[in-house]
Amino acid sequence: MNARNAARTGLVGLAAAAVAATAFTVPAQAGERDRTGAAPGHGATQRALDATVAAGIPGVLAESRDGRRVWRGTAGVGDRETGGERGANDRFRIASITKTFVATVLLQLEAEGRLDLDDKVEKHLPGVVAGNGNDGGRITVRQLLNHTSGIFNYTADPEYAAKYLEGESYLKHRYDTLPPEFHVKVAMSHRPDFAPGARFQYSNTGYVLAGMIIEKVSGDDYEDQVRKRIIKPLGLRGTSQPGDSVQMPRPSGRAYSTLALPDSTTIHDVTEMNGSQGWADGDIISTAGDLNRFFKALMRGQVLPEKQLKAMKTTVPADAFGGQYRYGLGIISQRTSCGTELWGHGGGILGSLSGAVTTEDGRRQLSYNLNGDWAMPVDITDAAFCGTAAAKPRPKF
C-alpha cells in the first residue's frame, strides 16, 4: 500500500509503510527499553516529536497515560502564520479512529439483541448494496466491520479522489455536503473486489454502511447514538461530531496539506472542511486525552460486555499493512519492535495524521496527532513503548 492510498484509506498512523532503520533514529536512554509495556522515560517520545517537526511537519502533540501518570508533549507550531505553539489539548480530526467508535455502537446494539453480527446487510438495508455484482444478501455486518466484505472502497474511485481528495479540486469542493448515500452510490458503481469473506481489504464504504445500519436499527441519528452511548457516559468533553459544519472547535491548531499531489512542496491550510465528507467512516473530532480515556475504558470492559469485546478483538490478517498488524472489528492489533502487543487505530485525512493505542489490559495508552499529512518520519508509538524509534519512509503525496 503506497502512502497516497494509505491517506485515502485513513490508516496512516498505525498501518503505515514498514519501518526503515535509516535517518531520524531516536536512540534509547539507559533503562528506557521495556518489553512489558510499562512506561519507559518519555525522553524518547519527546525526541520522536522533535524529529517529526525536524522532518517538516508543522506541529505534533502526544499524550501517554500509565495508570494515573499522564505525560503530554508537543513540538512545533499549531499555526504557521502566527507561530503559535502546538497545544497539548488541541482538538483534531481523528479520521478513521472514528471506526472504533462506530464498531462499539454496533456491538452494543448486538448486546441488546437488536441485531446480530452475522445478520446480512440486506436485512437492515434492503436494496442498498446492489448492482454490478454487489449483493447485500451475501455480506454480514461482521464483514463490514473487519473489512472482509469485498465492497469497493469509495475513496479509491479515481473520479471521487480527483474531485474530493486531491489538488485544487479539493480546495473547491471541501465545503460540499455529501450524504452517506452518495458515498455508497460511488462504491456500487464498481464490482466487488472479491467474494465476501475471501480476504481482508480496507474499505471506508463498509463503515458508511455500518453507520446507516446504526440509524436503521436504533431509529436515531448515528451521531446521537455515539454521543449517548460513548461520548457522554465516558465524559469525553473534547470529542464531537461536526455534522455538515466546516469549523473546528477550540482549542485547536490549523491543519496543513500538500493536497495528495506527488512531490508537491506547496503547503495549504485545510483546517476547514465539511464534516459530512467523513461521516461514520471518519468524521469525529477529539483530543489525545479523550482518545486515551476511550481506549482504556474499552479494553477494561467498561464499554462493551465480555462477549462483544471478545468479538471485537477477534482478528483477521491485515497483510497489506505488514505482518505486525491484524484487524478486528473496528480495531487493529499490532506489535511494537520490542514485542508489546497494542490495540487501537490510526487515522489519516488531509491535514491530519493520528494514532491511538492501548495495552490489552488497559493499563497504558498513547495518542498523538500531526497537523500535516506529508510525512510520518518516525514511529512515535515505538518511541513511547520501546524507548527507540526508527524512521518511516517519507510518504509521497
Side-chain angles (χ1 to χ4, degrees):
M1 178 176 64
N2 62 35
R4 187 177 184 182
N5 287 337
R8 289 180 184 175
T9 62
L11 275 172
V12 180
L14 282 184
V19 174
T22 54
F24 298 114
T25 297
V26 182
Q29 298 295 306
E32 281 188 339
R33 196 174 186 85
D34 190 330
R35 294 180 180 272
T36 68
H42 292 293
T45 314
Q46 184 61 55
R47 287 191 296 277
L49 304 187
D50 294 339
T52 299
V53 172
I57 291 295
V60 58
L61 64 85
E63 180 186 285
S64 173
R65 287 178 175 260
D66 186 357
R68 295 183 178 181
R69 292 180 294 176
V70 179
W71 176 88
R72 299 181 180 93
T74 65
V77 298
D79 190 319
R80 296 177 72 236
E81 289 192 6
T82 67
E85 294 182 353
R86 190 77 205 269
N89 295 315
D90 277 356
R91 290 163 167 80
F92 50 89
R93 300 185 192 275
I94 69 172
S96 279
I97 302 174
T98 297
K99 292 178 172 65
T100 313
F101 289 75
V102 171
T104 298
V105 170
L106 272 174
L107 285 163
Q108 288 183 347
L109 290 168
E110 190 206 36
E112 295 164 7
R114 301 171 75 176
L115 62 81
D116 191 286
L117 289 177
D118 294 318
D119 285 347
K120 297 299 192 290
V121 173
E122 182 71 11
K123 175 180 178 179
H124 301 291
L125 301 175
V128 173
V129 178
N132 291 313
N134 294 285
D135 183 356
R138 300 179 59 207
I139 298 167
T140 66
V141 174
R142 189 190 309 271
Q143 289 166 342
L144 295 181
L145 297 182
N146 67 10
H147 298 290
T148 62
S149 71
I151 295 174
F152 183 83
N153 179 15
Y154 77 86
T155 58
D157 177 85
E159 292 184 9
Y160 182 92
K163 185 172 183 178
Y164 294 108
L165 297 175
E166 300 172 359
E168 294 297 325
S169 182
Y170 167 78
L171 295 177
K172 179 180 178 181
H173 291 285
R174 61 176 164 155
Y175 300 110
D176 294 359
T177 297
L178 302 180
E181 293 80 6
F182 176 81
H183 292 144
V184 174
K185 183 179 179 180
V186 171
M188 293 302 104
S189 70
H190 295 264
R191 293 191 60 79
D193 292 321
F194 49 84
R199 60 185 175 87
F200 170 93
Q201 184 165 297
Y202 196 83
S203 175
N204 286 298
T205 313
Y207 275 77
V208 176
L209 293 166
M212 295 170 70
I213 292 173
I214 288 172
E215 295 194 337
K216 188 67 176 291
V217 170
S218 69
D220 200 1
D221 290 342
Y222 137 73
E223 294 92 341
D224 287 339
Q225 284 289 294
V226 172
R227 282 191 289 269
K228 292 174 184 177
R229 292 173 176 274
I230 301 175
I231 294 175
K232 288 185 178 180
L234 295 182
L236 307 182
R237 295 180 178 85
T239 302
S240 61
Q241 292 157 291
D244 59 2
S245 170
V246 303
Q247 304 296 330
M248 283 290 295
R250 295 183 179 180
S252 59
R254 310 300 292 177
Y256 300 99
S257 178
T258 55
L259 303 182
L261 297 176
D263 303 319
S264 174
T265 58
T266 303
I267 297 173
H268 300 266
D269 186 321
V270 295
T271 307
E272 294 183 351
M273 66 164 288
N274 191 307
S276 71
Q277 295 189 18
W279 206 60
D281 57 317
D283 71 339
I284 291 178
I285 295 168
S286 191
T287 66
D290 274 7
L291 291 177
N292 284 338
R293 281 186 283 275
F294 169 57
F295 279 100
K296 177 180 180 179
L298 184 63
M299 286 296 109
R300 291 198 166 185
Q302 297 169 5
V303 183
L304 289 174
E306 182 179 356
K307 177 183 175 182
Q308 279 69 35
L309 183 57
K310 181 179 179 181
M312 173 177 265
K313 294 192 295 182
T314 301
T315 61
V316 296
D319 294 337
F321 307 146
Q324 72 270 42
Y325 298 104
R326 295 180 63 89
Y327 204 98
L329 304 184
I331 199 165
I332 298 171
S333 168
Q334 70 170 111
R335 286 199 177 273
T336 65
S337 65
C338 56
T340 303
E341 183 180 27
L342 300 174
W343 295 83
H345 215 290
I349 194 170
L350 290 177
S352 179
L353 303 177
S354 308
V357 293
T358 180
T359 51
E360 189 170 16
D361 61 6
R363 183 164 69 98
R364 185 141 185 255
Q365 296 78 40
L366 171 76
S367 294
Y368 62 85
N369 172 257
L370 286 63
N371 65 353
D373 60 18
W374 56 91
M376 180 71 76
V378 297
D379 194 327
I380 296 171
T381 301
D382 253 24
F385 284 88
C386 303
T388 184
K392 291 179 180 291
R394 180 184 177 91
K396 295 181 179 179
F397 284 87

